[in-house]
Amino acid sequence: VNQMLLFGSVLIPSRPTRGTTLACSTRVPRILVIDDEEQVRRLLSQALQLHGYEVTLAANGQEGVREYRRAPADLIITDILMPGREGLEIIQELRREFPTSKIFTISGADEVLGMDVLEVAKRFGALRTFKKPFDLHDILKAVKEVVPPPPRHSK
């Protein structure tokens, strides 16, 4: 080894005839939270940021879909029952346009028109569902399973 390449605080051996290839990703996973309740948005945002995620917030379904189209997130957490465009519509629309999108749903409602809304959300493509009031630890555990946090926050 004839020379060393200094990259941040990492020393990488380099051989003059072979070169050195360094692959490093520092991208922070991004989560889009869509909920018409400000307290829920704020709670999820603060908890997710503390665990190393970048969080984008949307106060309704239309705003959430627009934001996802502008900059797709690694995970969407959406309420189901909201004024205007509700969560089941969001799941259908985004799964149709972005088949690999990852979606969690939360809802305080058990049934709407005789249907279990969380079960319908699963059928439409939600990976996980949570009933309000939810246990924040359960959501964080599920998020970490689906979208691992950056290394310094993985504990």
Side-chain angles (χ1 to χ4, degrees):
V1 177
N2 293 339
Q3 47 187 304
M4 300 294 272
L5 172 65
L6 183 62
F7 182 79
S9 62
V10 179
L11 293 176
I12 302 168
S14 178
R15 296 175 190 222
T17 59
R18 296 176 67 201
T20 300
T21 302
L22 175 65
C24 180
S25 174
T26 57
R27 191 178 82 73
V28 175
R30 194 166 75 82
I31 299 174
L32 172 60
V33 175
I34 307 169
D35 199 300
D36 59 321
E37 295 180 55
E38 185 179 348
Q39 288 180 312
V40 172
R41 289 193 312 269
R42 188 173 36 240
L43 172 69
L44 288 171
S45 177
Q46 290 172 351
L48 291 164
Q49 288 175 4
L50 283 173
H51 285 83
Y53 296 97
E54 177 185 326
V55 181
T56 302
L57 302 175
N60 59 59
Q62 186 170 350
E63 186 180 316
V65 169
R66 185 173 48 247
E67 179 59 34
Y68 191 83
R69 285 179 180 142
R70 186 188 69 75
D74 297 292
L75 174 66
I76 301 161
I77 301 175
T78 184
D79 189 11
I80 293 181
L81 298 178
M82 296 180 283
R85 198 180 235 162
E86 48 85 26
L88 296 175
E89 289 178 88
I90 293 168
I91 295 168
Q92 288 180 303
E93 189 170 339
L94 291 178
R95 296 288 290 161
R96 189 171 37 252
E97 285 183 51
F98 305 93
T100 60
S101 60
K102 297 173 184 162
I103 303 171
F104 288 3
T105 58
I106 53 178
S107 181
D110 289 325
E111 290 188 6
V112 173
L113 301 174
M115 297 182 298
D116 178 337
V117 293
L118 293 176
E119 187 57 40
V120 172
K122 283 182 186 176
R123 289 185 190 153
F124 285 177
L127 296 175
R128 307 276 171 89
T129 60
F130 300 91
K131 175 127 178 61
K132 289 180 182 176
F134 51 79
D135 183 326
L136 188 56
H137 290 75
D138 290 343
I139 289 184
L140 291 171
K141 181 180 176 192
V143 168
K144 289 178 182 180
E145 289 171 3
V146 173
V147 181
R152 72 172 199 257
H153 293 278
S154 59
K155 291 183 180 180

